[in-house]
Amino acid sequence: SSTVSNRINFNNERCFSLTGLNSDQFGILLRTIECNWPYQISKSDSLFMYLARLRLGLSIKKILHLFEFEQTQYSTITRMISIIRERLLECFVPLNIGLNHVSRGEIKIKHTTELSQKLLSCEEENLITVWDATYVYIEKSSNYNFQKKSFSVYKEVFRIEWVDSIFLSGRNELIGKKHVYANQLVST
């Protein structure tokens, strides 16, 4: 099937309230998904629905209603959201999240200050980072599998845990997240 033009009309305010990104940021993210897009629903609409779903925790039925799609397009919307997620994991995540996209030399040059080396009496070749493991309480999800992964039996709440590296320049790098599952921490 051929690509259809964008159905979803949004201004900067609507974009920010539904996705958490302004229009410029949305455009930058959209451009990082470099690929042929031979699908029924445009790449822009698919990304917009995915980000709105991610930010607001909407079900596919609510997405259909909010963006005025027919109920018969349920499986198509589900597939598009899944494809966008996969493309972001392929194209955006490796270049922007985690320690794999930044070299040791870049960390040393851009994110290690002379003051911190003197305060900590570190050798010049050493890197200085701060590591933090924390968790955030979340609302109960409508997705049963995610409910199982995010429920802490010990705390009796839903939560997500992650490890974060903070460079002394203030830049943060998300290293990994953990789900509490059956009284065990499972790294993903």
Side-chain angles (χ1 to χ4, degrees):
S1 61
S2 62
T3 303
V4 175
S5 62
N6 297 341
R7 277 184 56 162
I8 301 172
N9 295 319
F10 60 89
N11 57 26
N12 197 39
E13 185 179 327
R14 184 169 190 223
C15 184
F16 184 77
S17 67
L18 293 177
T19 68
L21 303 175
N22 65 38
S23 298
D24 293 336
Q25 293 167 331
F26 181 85
I28 291 168
L29 186 57
L30 184 63
R31 284 189 294 279
T32 64
I33 304 171
E34 297 174 7
C35 59
N36 237 353
W37 195 261
Y39 304 108
Q40 222 177 2
I41 297 170
S42 74
K43 183 169 55 170
S44 175
D45 288 353
S46 298
L47 179 61
F48 195 83
M49 288 184 289
Y50 173 72
L51 292 174
R53 181 166 196 227
L54 197 62
R55 179 179 167 96
L56 303 173
L58 300 173
S59 68
I60 297 295
K61 287 184 179 181
K62 289 179 182 173
I63 292 278
L64 289 170
H65 178 72
L66 180 65
F67 298 115
E68 299 175 359
F69 284 94
E70 299 296 322
Q71 291 293 324
T72 56
Q73 292 182 292
Y74 184 94
S75 62
T76 303
I77 299 298
T78 303
R79 189 172 63 248
M80 291 302 101
I81 287 174
S82 177
I83 289 168
I84 279 291
R85 182 181 165 276
E86 290 168 10
R87 297 288 165 87
L88 285 171
L89 287 172
E90 274 176 30
C91 304
F92 180 78
V93 171
L95 299 174
N96 296 286
I97 299 175
L99 291 177
N100 292 334
H101 78 280
V102 62
S103 70
R104 179 179 173 85
E106 185 180 343
I107 294 171
K108 177 77 180 115
I109 292 168
K110 292 184 178 177
H111 306 293
T112 304
T113 63
E114 188 178 327
L115 176 63
S116 63
Q117 287 178 325
K118 286 181 181 177
L119 282 174
L120 298 171
S121 302
C122 287
E123 299 293 324
E124 201 170 302
E125 66 274 358
N126 290 343
L127 297 179
I128 303 169
T129 61
V130 178
W131 293 79
D132 180 37
T134 190
Y135 58 89
V136 172
Y137 293 107
I138 58 173
E139 292 183 27
K140 184 176 178 179
S141 172
S142 60
N143 181 321
Y144 178 71
N145 287 329
F146 186 73
Q147 278 183 30
K148 287 192 324 187
K149 289 180 182 177
S150 63
F151 185 73
S152 168
V153 177
Y154 175 70
K155 295 277 189 178
E156 297 183 353
V157 294
F158 293 93
R159 67 184 190 181
I160 296 176
E161 299 185 354
W162 71 83
V163 177
D164 196 19
S165 170
I166 304 152
F167 301 124
L168 297 178
S169 65
R171 179 175 176 166
N172 289 16
E173 292 294 332
L174 180 66
I175 304 307
K177 65 181 189 319
K178 294 184 177 185
H179 294 290
V180 179
Y181 185 65
N183 280 333
Q184 299 175 1
L185 288 178
V186 180
S187 293
T188 54

